[in-house]
Amino acid sequence: STIEDNENFGKSSFVDNSKPIKLGEAVNIANHVFPEGRLHWILLPTSSTGVFIVGKQAAWEPNISKTFRNVGIDQYNGAITKIQDQQNYHFGDKAMEWLFPLHSGEFLGETGRSIIVVLGLMPFILFLTGLRRWLSKRSR
């Protein structure tokens, strides 16, 4: 499941006059699940049955702009509703996780992005050199 599918992270158990847990408590719960890594995002509940979704990104993840280590947390009692951890993914899911970082060059930082820009320009450069060669042969 992806982070866009908030419903896949479960539902909070709403009871009349329930007060939500504090944001810091949700982060602490996620820190117990994933002690290593940096806090990548916190999605707030969007309804009375919505959940907190806290993402913790590990240093070894290929995707810098997105994390696949997320914890769904009941907004009222702090119970964990779902743990999404790419360590448990199958090969196909792990390969899909690499698509964006490979396509954008993100996985190698600024160097990787520069390489991807040059590779992206290669078809145009090859077209121009081919057109030049064709025109020079045609003029002979």
Side-chain angles (χ1 to χ4, degrees), residues 65-102:
S65 58
K66 188 172 187 176
T67 183
F68 292 92
R69 293 167 19 109
N70 300 290
V71 183
I73 301 165
D74 187 302
Q75 66 174 304
Y76 302 109
N77 61 24
I80 295 172
T81 58
K82 176 160 182 167
I83 297 172
Q84 179 188 41
D85 185 1
Q86 85 277 33
Q87 296 268 11
N88 301 326
Y89 283 6
H90 296 357
F91 174 77
D93 294 325
K94 288 182 181 181
M96 292 296 287
E97 185 182 358
W98 273 92
L99 284 181
F100 180 78
L102 287 172

Side-chain angles (χ1 to χ4, degrees), residues 41 46 87 93 119 130 134:
W41 56 42
T46 57
Q87 296 268 11
D93 294 325
L119 289 175
W134 179 75

Side-chain angles (χ1 to χ4, degrees), residues 39-52:
L39 182 62
H40 189 71
W41 56 42
I42 304 170
L43 298 179
L44 303 175
T46 57
S47 69
S48 61
T49 58
V51 296
F52 285 104

